[in-house]
């Protein structure tokens, strides 16, 4: 099974914002294992979840708290 196209976008977002992958998953969809599971192809990504993740990335505004969590 090939990587989900979303994972490249998520990894770029994480690198750009210097945010931990667990923090990203928690903030985006309240699941700290999201990025790890997508990388390991251990989960199916539902369209609704992908929409939530993309919305989070499009509307994300860094704060002191999220910067410190990384």
């Amino acid at each position: 099974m090939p990587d989900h196209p979303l994972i490249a976008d998520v990894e770029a977002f994480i690198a750009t914002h210097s945010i931990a992958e667990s923090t990203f998953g928690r903030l985006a969809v309240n699941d700290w294992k999201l990025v790890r599971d997508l990388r390991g192809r251990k989960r199916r990504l539902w369209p609704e979840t992908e929409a939530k993740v993309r919305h989070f990335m499009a509307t994300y505004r860094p704060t002191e708290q999220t910067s410190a969590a990384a």
Side-chain angles (χ1 to χ4, degrees):
M1 172 172 33
D3 286 339
H4 193 283
L6 179 64
I7 194 65
D9 295 338
V10 169
E11 288 177 341
F13 182 90
I14 288 171
T16 298
H17 294 284
S18 299
I19 187 171
E21 65 183 51
S22 59
T23 300
F24 175 88
R26 184 177 46 79
L27 293 173
V29 293
N30 199 29
D31 181 358
W32 66 270
K33 299 178 290 184
L34 173 73
V35 178
R36 181 192 71 183
D37 288 352
L38 288 176
R39 278 187 187 135
R41 301 179 190 146
K42 294 181 180 183
R43 75 163 51 188
R44 180 181 192 279
L45 186 63
W46 295 96
E48 297 83 4
T49 305
E50 180 176 359
K52 286 180 186 178
V53 169
R54 291 198 182 277
H55 179 264
F56 170 77
M57 291 190 296
T59 60
Y60 177 76
R61 300 293 176 261
T63 64
E64 290 291 324
Q65 186 177 13
T66 55
S67 297

